[in-house]
Amino acid sequence: MGYDYSVIGKRIKQSREEKGLTQESLAEKLDVSNAYISKIERGKTPINLDRLSELCKVLEESTEYILNGADSASDDYLRNEIIVMLEGCSAEKIKLISQVIRPIIEYRGK
């Protein structure tokens, strides 16, 4: 199974913003360019394991969370993953998604 770098980038951006860091300040801490951080956050370039490890230390996040949306401390990772996927969707697309999942949620059978 491959990784969706755009979703990984969204998690990195969200973690960076929660820590109150700019792309520039994160780039400085990692000794990389601001453009590199931007490309990672937009999912335009993959991140190697060494850099990912450094980034996780700076952001105080687990690699599990950044790569998979799962954290050993969180049993609610799928809910969080869905929320991340919905970010940036248009109102029209969210309405369509709602119409698709509502019957699934309301279904009472096995």
Side-chain angles (χ1 to χ4, degrees):
M1 177 180 144
Y3 290 107
D4 184 339
Y5 291 104
S6 64
V7 174
I8 290 170
K10 285 180 182 180
R11 288 190 202 111
I12 291 169
K13 180 179 180 179
Q14 181 179 10
S15 295
R16 174 183 59 76
E17 289 175 343
E18 287 173 2
K19 296 287 183 232
L21 296 172
T22 63
Q23 286 183 343
E24 185 178 355
S25 63
L26 180 58
E28 287 175 13
K29 290 177 184 290
L30 296 174
D31 195 28
V32 297
S33 71
N34 192 28
Y36 178 70
I37 297 297
S38 176
K39 287 178 184 177
I40 289 172
E41 288 185 356
R42 291 181 289 125
K44 300 298 181 190
T45 191
I47 184 169
N48 70 45
L49 294 177
D50 290 334
R51 187 71 66 200
L52 177 64
S53 178
E54 293 172 20
L55 181 120
C56 287
K57 286 178 188 173
V58 171
L59 296 178
E60 299 174 342
E61 290 286 0
S62 70
T63 53
E64 287 176 316
Y65 170 72
I66 295 296
L67 292 175
N68 302 312
D71 194 340
S72 56
S74 172
D75 294 331
D76 211 17
Y77 72 91
L78 285 176
R79 182 182 314 268
N80 294 335
E81 186 71 12
I82 292 168
I83 290 168
V84 168
M85 285 188 278
L86 291 173
E87 289 177 0
C89 287
S90 68
E92 183 178 318
K93 192 175 277 188
I94 289 174
K95 183 178 179 182
L96 176 63
I97 293 166
S98 174
Q99 291 170 347
V100 170
I101 66 171
R102 181 170 278 114
I104 297 168
I105 293 169
E106 293 173 351
Y107 181 70
R108 299 191 186 271
K110 291 183 179 179

